[in-house]
Amino acid sequence: MARLFNDPGSFAEEMLEGFAAAQAHRVRRVPGGVVRRNRSRSGEVAVVIGGGSGHYPAFSGLVGDGLAHGAAMGNLFASPSAQQVRSVATSAHHGGGVLLCYGNYAGDVLHFGLAEQRLRGDGIDCRTVVVTDDVSSAPPEERDKRRGVAGDLVVFKAASAAAEEGYDLDEVARVAARANERTRSFGVAFGGCTLPGSAEPLFTVPEGKMAVGLGIHGEPGIDEQDVPTADELAELFVRTLLAEVPDGVEIAGSRVAVVLNGLGSVKYEELFVVYRRVAGLLAEAGVAVVEPEVGELVTSFDMAGASLTLCWLDEELERFWRAPADSAAYRKTPSVAADDAEAAEDCVALDVIPPATDESRESARCALAALDALKSTVDDNVAELGRIDAVAGDGDHGIGMQRGADAAVAAARDAVERGAGAGSTLNRAADAWADRAGGTSGALWGVALRAIGAELGDETAPGPRTIGAAVRAASDAVVRLGKAELGDKTMVDALVPFADELEAALGTGADLTTAWDTAATAAAKAAEATASLRPLRGRARPLAEKSLGTPDAGAVSLSLITRSVHAVLAR
């Protein structure tokens, strides 16, 4: 829902005024819209796009070098008037004629059509190409009735690059028509958009459902389905678009431009999760993806939804898709081919398993068993750890620990299967934990496991005193990195007592299992005692009073883990 507006009736006008002010180095305001700030060369075809407001970055954000020469902007979800289109086209024209390009909506067709007539009457040569990429809006035999959605970008880009390359008006129109013929889009929505001043969205979707085949003007979809996972949505997108390819195109061996488009409220991170699967599915089908675009490119105000666009490229269209562009919302620079062979060599060099003795390999199997037990404990307590952390933090400790433990076990298992010693196994587990978990706990557990790995090495089977020294090294490493002290209400409040008690018990001649039991009991008591402390470090520090009465999540997780490892030692 739009919350920042003055008079709803003036929203589109004020939005365009602010856009032009913010992008004054790229565009200039003219009656009806915006045109490029820098003047095109004499005789260059002017590509003029447009439609209703509410779709940013379409249409004003796509005006700039290598893209449109001008954009005519109507009110929210309303076509610009013929006079607005004529004004923008006249300002953008530099002797080469004008190509009008827009999505296939009744109002746009009427007003752009009238504008074309008037421009011809003014002595300006003019052509029109209407974008019809939405596969859900009409069957293939009625493609001329389909709406234009995110495929707008592909068609606009092709036409503009052709104009930039010096094509005449007929050829620019041919390229735009060719791009449109080979472009298909399909979208879904999880909720409708709400226009400034409106109390309700233009449409609603039942809880747990999504609208399939929606339009970008708030039109509801043609069907409803259960909300899928990200991978399932990617599969729906790809399956739908691969079911309708342009005439003469063979899927395997083809090359496509891909646009995974957010419609307003679906965030970039979510789109990247979907694109991960889209890319895999296209690769499985034998389709090569050329410079994909993932982001908000043709929106519908604040609609929660997404769409996928495929343009089946030929040599000419690929050249224009790759061509440089620089606008307020879309930039493309010449790409540099990745050196996959060099990257692969780097990965191989990093993946070498150091030699190890049989004794150390046996110890590595014990380390893996301990990590497995650690993982099970974290899995069993993930919700409670999150609850404790949420009292004065952001509640992600349990999830972060779970991600780290999962990654550490997977890395350790791979290392053991490849003959790694205990030190190398723990080093790989440490790096995987830190990489996957992130955050403070990820860094601290990563450095702790690495310190233990360094003490154990790959040559001998470590005895009790070596393990005691390894735990002390881990404790010192955590204190050094995190700069926390006893009493700061962090994992250090459980880790330091654990290391102290373990060393003391081993020093009296206790066996490892007994000493570990004593130390784990001390860690549990110390973790429980953190409930009375005020946090002096970490995310909980700003809410120190709120955390009183609740133990530190990091100290609790460490104490639980030490107890789970004791069970492994006892076996």
Side-chain angles (χ1 to χ4, degrees), residues 293 299 302 318 508:
E293 297 290 345
T299 65
D302 63 343
E318 180 169 341
T508 65

Side-chain angles (χ1 to χ4, degrees), residues 56-384:
Y56 190 86
F59 297 93
S60 57
L62 303 180
V63 174
D65 294 342
L67 261 167
H69 297 72
M73 301 289 293
N75 213 322
L76 286 172
F77 294 177
S79 167
S81 69
Q83 184 54 36
Q84 286 177 304
V85 177
R86 179 188 180 199
S87 167
V88 172
T90 300
S91 299
H93 179 243
H94 289 292
V98 173
L99 175 73
L100 301 177
C101 201
Y102 52 91
N104 188 27
Y105 296 90
D108 293 297
V109 172
L110 288 173
H111 285 287
F112 275 88
L114 286 171
E116 181 178 359
Q117 293 177 21
R118 293 179 184 174
L119 288 166
R120 290 180 182 276
D122 296 337
I124 296 176
D125 199 4
C126 197
R127 304 283 186 280
T128 290
V129 173
V130 181
V131 183
T132 57
D133 59 305
D134 181 13
V135 301
S136 63
S137 54
E141 61 271 18
E142 296 181 341
R143 281 206 63 226
D144 60 317
K145 296 180 181 179
R146 287 179 170 176
R147 303 175 292 210
V149 286
D152 282 355
L153 173 66
V154 181
V155 179
F156 298 165
K157 178 73 169 60
S160 303
E164 199 95 4
E165 200 168 290
Y167 281 31
D168 65 21
L169 182 56
D170 286 335
E171 282 294 284
V172 170
R174 176 190 63 78
V175 167
R178 175 77 168 164
N180 182 59
E181 289 167 5
R182 297 172 73 91
T183 300
R184 307 284 189 274
S185 297
F186 180 70
V188 302
F190 312 105
C193 53
T194 304
L195 300 185
S198 297
E200 301 294 334
L202 293 180
F203 71 90
T204 59
V205 181
E207 187 72 23
K209 298 287 185 179
M210 71 174 178
V212 177
L214 74 156
I216 60 168
H217 292 90
E219 308 97 326
I222 59 175
D223 189 17
E224 288 180 356
Q225 297 181 13
D226 292 339
V227 173
T229 64
D231 282 1
E232 288 168 345
L233 179 58
E235 289 157 12
L236 173 63
F237 279 158
V238 174
R239 182 173 65 249
T240 302
L241 294 184
L242 291 188
E244 186 189 317
V245 298
D247 292 340
V249 171
E250 293 291 335
I251 293 177
S254 58
R255 298 173 68 79
V256 295
V258 177
V259 178
L260 181 59
N261 178 57
L263 284 160
S265 292
V266 175
K267 306 315 298 176
Y268 279 68
E269 288 87 347
E270 297 171 271
L271 293 173
F272 288 130
V273 173
V274 176
Y275 183 73
R276 158 191 157 275
R277 182 61 176 151
V278 168
L281 290 168
L282 291 174
E284 290 171 15
V287 178
V289 175
V290 178
E291 298 188 5
E293 297 290 345
V294 179
E296 293 183 343
L297 295 156
V298 180
T299 65
S300 184
F301 218 74
D302 63 343
M303 184 186 290
S307 64
L308 181 68
T309 298
L310 301 182
C311 176
W312 303 84
L313 301 170
D314 56 22
E315 184 177 334
E316 182 181 50
L317 289 177
E318 180 169 341
R319 185 172 79 251
F320 292 146
W321 178 244
R322 289 179 176 273
D326 183 17
S327 71
Y330 184 89
R331 300 175 186 84
K332 187 183 283 285
T333 56
S335 58
V336 178
D339 189 340
D340 293 335
E342 184 176 325
E345 288 177 5
D346 290 343
C347 289
V348 169
L350 290 171
D351 201 35
V352 173
I353 296 290
T357 64
D358 290 341
E359 292 85 354
S360 186
R361 291 193 185 101
E362 181 61 32
S363 295
R365 284 189 281 274
C366 293
L368 174 58
L371 288 169
D372 260 325
L374 177 159
K375 175 183 177 303
S376 295
T377 294
V378 171
D379 287 344
D380 291 343
N381 292 277
V382 63
E384 178 62 10

